[in-house]
Amino acid sequence: MKDMGPLTYFLGLEISRNTQGYLLSQWKYTCDLIKLANLTDNKTHETPLELNVKYEKDDGDLLSDVTSYRQPVGRLVYLTMSRPDISYAVHVVSQFVEAPCTLHMTAVHRIIRYLRGTLNQALLFSSSPDLQLSAYSDANWARCPISRRSTTGYCVFLGQLLVSWKCKKQTTVSRSSTKAEYRVMVDACSEITWFWGLLIELGILLSVATPLYADNLSAIQLASNPIFQERTKHIEVDCHFVREKYTVGIISLPHVTSELQLADFFTKTMTSSCHRFLHGKLMLVHYPTSV
């Protein structure tokens, strides 16, 4: 093995350090992606996706060259490693790589224009000594207009650090918003449990339960109140994994208002003002290109 000094660049990831902590970015990778798109204008957008637009399979004419769509989408998927703010938008456009249409390509170009306007963004890993875990989970019920499956979204913080996030379409159709929210809580709870095990291996013992913030009161009651169990036999047995972790004190289930639900970033489009507010909560910071 060879000591090559402090890590600065690895597989498109740029790592730098300042007084606040470590900065993880993909500036050069993003610049290459913008060049690949070969856009003929200098427009930028404040949000990655247009508000309240639902894309379907037959939105416009089929593209004659599917590679021109698949290549940037594939690169965008890799870019979500350091840019959680585009996770939902990339989740949407990646559903059409098999047979992309003109409107889908327009959505990809909008994401790239958003990246052009937010090029100097980095994910900050603060040097704060706070090692308390916290998480947010949310679901966009029946969001997909094609299959009516819900969208899962959660994020996990270690202190102020955003260490894990997910945006994914659920594998089955949920007949109620409570069921959709509960499924997300299962995924987030599994992630929290994994982090508990990792921290224990590192010799860090968490003294308090990890708050898993949710904005659906029915899902919270379902997990915390055993009286509700007899009414919910239609929910699979493994979903009650959440209640087990709640009972033993690994998680707590505080309610959070929809305005402060950080997981919304991974389940839906939003206005410019909401996007800016939540963007700052995800520890994405501006840094100079010389870094």
Side-chain angles (χ1 to χ4, degrees):
M1 298 179 65
K2 181 188 297 184
D3 184 359
M4 301 178 67
L7 179 63
T8 57
Y9 187 84
F10 181 73
L11 295 178
L13 293 171
E14 299 167 33
I15 300 93
S16 59
R17 187 176 183 178
N18 61 17
T19 55
Q20 294 179 294
Y22 287 94
L23 293 169
L24 179 67
S25 68
Q26 292 172 279
W27 181 81
K28 182 180 182 302
Y29 186 87
T30 307
C31 290
D32 292 341
L33 173 59
I34 295 172
K35 291 178 182 178
L36 174 69
N38 196 26
L39 299 177
T40 57
D41 57 63
N42 293 318
K43 292 181 180 178
T44 60
H45 290 289
E46 293 186 342
T47 58
L49 280 182
E50 191 175 349
L51 187 65
N52 295 328
V53 172
K54 295 184 178 181
Y55 296 96
E56 302 192 29
K57 291 183 177 180
D58 54 351
D59 285 331
D61 299 327
L62 290 173
L63 296 178
S64 57
D65 180 14
V66 295
T67 303
S68 64
Y69 183 86
R70 293 173 180 173
Q71 194 171 23
V73 169
R75 295 197 175 202
L76 285 169
V77 170
Y78 189 69
L79 186 57
T80 58
M81 187 182 306
S82 65
R83 294 295 300 266
D85 53 328
I86 64 169
S87 293
Y88 178 70
V90 175
H91 157 77
V92 171
V93 298
S94 63
Q95 298 178 56
F96 306 104
V97 292
E98 182 178 354
C101 297
T102 51
L103 193 58
H104 305 148
M105 179 59 84
T106 301
V108 171
H109 287 167
R110 182 186 176 94
I111 298 173
I112 295 174
R113 289 189 176 99
Y114 167 77
L115 291 172
R116 177 194 282 164
T118 58
L119 188 59
N120 299 338
Q121 296 290 320
L123 193 59
L124 174 63
F125 288 86
S126 171
S127 55
S128 169
D130 184 7
L131 296 178
Q132 173 61 42
L133 281 173
S134 62
Y136 294 80
S137 70
D138 193 25
N140 194 340
W141 181 49
R143 174 61 181 83
C144 179
I146 302 170
S147 64
R148 285 305 170 189
R149 287 188 284 172
S150 305
T151 302
T152 284
Y154 71 76
C155 52
V156 181
F157 292 83
L158 181 63
Q160 296 182 337
L161 316 181
L162 178 62
V163 292
S164 178
W165 60 90
K166 184 176 184 179
C167 173
K168 185 179 180 181
K169 188 188 297 184
Q170 295 185 359
T171 56
T172 59
V173 178
S174 297
R175 297 181 63 185
S176 69
S177 59
T178 299
K179 187 173 181 179
E181 295 272 358
Y182 205 71
R183 289 185 183 278
V184 185
M185 292 170 68
V186 173
D187 291 341
C189 188
S190 297
E191 192 75 355
I192 291 170
T193 303
W194 184 86
F195 273 108
W196 268 65
L198 176 62
L199 292 174
I200 290 173
E201 287 187 17
L202 296 174
I204 302 171
L205 299 179
L206 300 178
S207 57
V208 296
T210 298
L212 174 54
Y213 295 97
D215 57 10
N216 188 291
L217 289 173
S218 297
I220 293 174
Q221 291 174 335
L222 179 60
S224 59
N225 191 341
I227 296 176
F228 285 79
Q229 301 299 314
E230 294 298 322
R231 307 180 193 174
T232 54
K233 290 183 179 179
H234 61 286
I235 295 182
E236 290 79 353
V237 175
D238 62 347
C239 286
H240 298 289
F241 170 76
V242 175
R243 186 171 190 277
E244 177 183 310
K245 300 303 179 184
Y246 174 82
T247 302
V248 299
I250 291 180
I251 65 168
S252 60
L253 295 169
H255 177 259
V256 65
T257 62
S258 297
E259 292 77 14
L260 299 176
Q261 175 56 275
L262 303 189
D264 274 357
F265 225 109
F266 307 98
T267 61
K268 63 190 72 172
T269 57
M270 53 189 63
T271 62
S272 299
S273 59
C274 290
H275 181 88
R276 286 193 298 269
F277 173 75
L278 295 180
H279 185 278
K281 300 293 184 180
L282 296 181
M283 299 305 291
L284 281 164
V285 298
H286 180 87
Y287 75 103
T289 55
S290 59
V291 171

